[in-house]
Amino acid sequence: LIAAKSSDFIKEIMESFVERASDIRKGMVDPRIDNMLKITHEARLLGLDPRLLYEDAPNEADSKVNQCIEIIYDEYIQSSAIKGTQIVFCDVGTPNSDGRFSIYPYIKEELIKKGIPENEVCFIHDATNEAKREAMFSDLRSGHRRIILGSTPKMGTGTNIQDRLVALHHLDCPWRPSDLE
């Protein structure tokens, strides 16, 4: 378990969540405008990476995501002799086409900057049919691909790629305990 300390930016936003929650409890806000579920969802995004909520949020070197990137890279280097594979589970910040910040391409770009070949990092979301999924899994089992990012719903069950597995990384916690199991 790796804990990332909250930046000043995150602390400031969390304080605004506390104020919003207080206003909701006091009945000062129309629940169609703001509610506890919305705050909980935004806090989940903020806890992973504030750029998921605010485009201009700072990219903190010690953030949860950046710490994970360092660990992925270290595991990659340490397991090079056996072409070890790694799975990164992340249920929010998944790839999108609307230009919003996404965790997946950010992690891939940072790993490529560190020297990991682009073709060794893949997203489960790119396997758009069963044949592509099985080909991707075959590449992971053989060590041709070494890092896969995916959400729990897309990769949590039926993912048979443990042959060279050296690490699992859970960037966020699924809603249901059975999904983590």
Side-chain angles (χ1 to χ4, degrees):
L1 183 62
I2 307 295
K5 293 188 180 194
S6 296
S7 67
D8 290 340
F9 181 83
I10 289 175
K11 288 176 185 174
E12 182 180 323
I13 301 302
M14 284 303 294
E15 187 56 40
S16 76
F17 291 170
V18 169
E19 292 170 13
R20 286 170 54 197
S22 177
D23 289 347
I24 290 166
R25 277 193 301 276
K26 293 174 186 172
M28 299 170 56
V29 179
D30 181 340
R32 293 172 296 187
I33 304 297
D34 202 6
N35 56 64
M36 294 304 284
L37 187 59
K38 184 175 180 187
I39 292 173
T40 302
H41 174 70
E42 290 177 11
R44 184 176 188 212
L45 297 177
L46 183 70
L48 181 56
D49 193 300
R51 294 173 292 175
L52 292 169
L53 280 177
Y54 303 98
E55 186 177 306
D56 59 346
N59 180 8
E60 302 287 343
D62 289 337
S63 73
K64 180 187 260 188
V65 174
N66 286 326
Q67 285 186 48
C68 186
I69 290 167
E70 291 301 322
I71 294 167
I72 293 168
Y73 180 72
D74 290 345
E75 291 283 352
Y76 177 89
I77 296 301
Q78 291 173 18
S79 67
S80 288
I82 62 164
K83 294 190 174 208
T85 58
Q86 300 178 66
I87 300 173
V88 182
F89 284 99
C90 186
D91 292 350
V92 297
T94 57
N96 64 67
S97 58
D98 60 10
R100 290 178 293 122
F101 176 76
S102 171
I103 298 294
Y104 289 50
Y106 174 73
I107 289 175
K108 185 173 184 175
E109 289 165 15
E110 293 301 306
L111 292 172
I112 291 168
K113 286 179 189 174
K114 290 180 170 297
I116 295 177
E118 181 177 1
N119 66 327
E120 290 188 15
V121 182
C122 58
F123 305 155
I124 190 66
H125 299 76
D126 291 337
T128 54
N129 60 47
E130 195 57 39
K132 289 180 181 179
R133 181 178 163 104
E134 188 46 47
M136 183 181 286
F137 289 175
S138 177
D139 284 347
L140 286 154
R141 286 191 297 272
S142 68
H144 288 96
R145 293 183 186 236
R146 297 194 43 209
I147 300 163
I148 185 168
L149 290 91
S151 63
T152 305
K154 287 200 175 275
M155 201 165 55
T157 303
T159 304
N160 180 13
I161 56 173
Q162 65 271 17
D163 298 23
R164 297 175 185 271
L165 191 63
V166 295
L168 288 173
H169 310 277
H170 294 272
L171 275 171
D172 56 353
C173 192
W175 285 109
R176 298 176 302 187
S178 63
D179 287 341
L180 187 58
E181 187 177 301

